[in-house]
Amino acid sequence: MSADFAALHGRFDPSDMLGRLTGFPAQMEAAWKIGAEFAPQAAELRSKTFDRVVICGMGGSAIGSDFARSFLGERSRLPVFSCRDYHLPANLAKGALVIASSYSGNTGETLSAYDGARTHGATVVAITGGGGLAERCARDRVPVCRIPGGMPPRAAIGYSLLPMLHVLRAAGVADFDDREYHEALEVARERCAAYDLKARSNAAMELAEGLHQKTAFVYAAPALLEGVARRWSCQLNENAKTLAHFAFFPELNHNEIVGWEVGDLMSRTVIVSLEDREDHPMTRRQMEVGLSLMAPHAARVERLETPGGGRLARMLAMMLLGDFTSVYLAYLNNVDPTPVKKIDALKKQLAGE
């Protein structure tokens, strides 16, 4: 590696986003405890009747729902949907368990969806750090799982994910063994140590150098890594302040693959293929053929396979590689990974300030 990442960290990371990443295992432990303590309240939801789950959230708060859905997979007794919008359709809300997830508690889209869920008679529970969502829950006597605030939502993925898993299990939607969490916690500890500044052989630093001055197209299969691919793209956007794109096999072989024929973007694009042993055999075959057809046009193809272990451990291991890569790429881009100035400006304009 040619870059002095320790020096770059000192120059471009005054808020220590990297420290938030290395502290992720501690966040997991705190989030798991919060979820366990809230579980008895969530268990009261079993007395309600619902035939689907709808999780309403945006940005970093919504990623937890993607991870929960992918982790549970076919173990979920009910279909789980995501709502990333102001409008929660009546035909989706009626008869549903709606989980409103907003880290700040002030996400306009989630507050609107919460109101819609209440209007349509859905069973509602919230996961939030406070704000307007907590106030609505107190007013409406809706159960609310309170999580600590004060962080960028994208840095609070543990608080968005693990209490949600407790809610879904306690409500009777799905079941999983606590050993899966403990295994994932150990894997997170190992990965955070492996990607830390002091690690001698650091895959995240190497990948960041390979992505520098390039555009990442992050591909995966939807079985386990759908949310992780989205997370990679969003972390590159918000931390590294660079454009990124995500899409999924086999769907992209029915359309996007043809786009790899004309234009000069391709020569500056790195395909990052996230792969897992549970990917469907035919999807894996689609990956092999699709990548072989796109590779000659790309700057490079990075094929990354999840390590061994259970579903949660594999998801978080691949997530952490992307998280650390995005911060190291921010350093190479000479930017602070923490501020999101355009999002702040957008919110001010929407608020009429």
Side-chain angles (χ1 to χ4, degrees), residues 56-58 83 85-88 98-119 124 126-128 130-137 139-140:
C56 301
M58 302 295 297
C83 176
D85 196 5
Y86 291 95
H87 178 58
L88 178 60
V98 172
I99 302 176
S101 175
S102 171
Y103 181 68
S104 69
N106 294 317
T107 310
E109 297 92 337
T110 307
L111 292 174
S112 177
Y114 170 91
D115 291 341
R118 294 281 300 166
T119 297
V124 183
I127 300 172
T128 184
L133 182 57
E135 293 172 1
R136 280 170 163 81
C137 290
R139 178 196 67 196
D140 300 332

Side-chain angles (χ1 to χ4, degrees), residues 307-327:
R311 293 173 65 86
L312 187 60
R314 303 201 310 273
M315 288 174 60
L316 295 184
M318 189 65 84
M319 180 199 79
L320 286 167
L321 176 56
D323 284 3
F324 277 89
T325 295
S326 71
V327 170

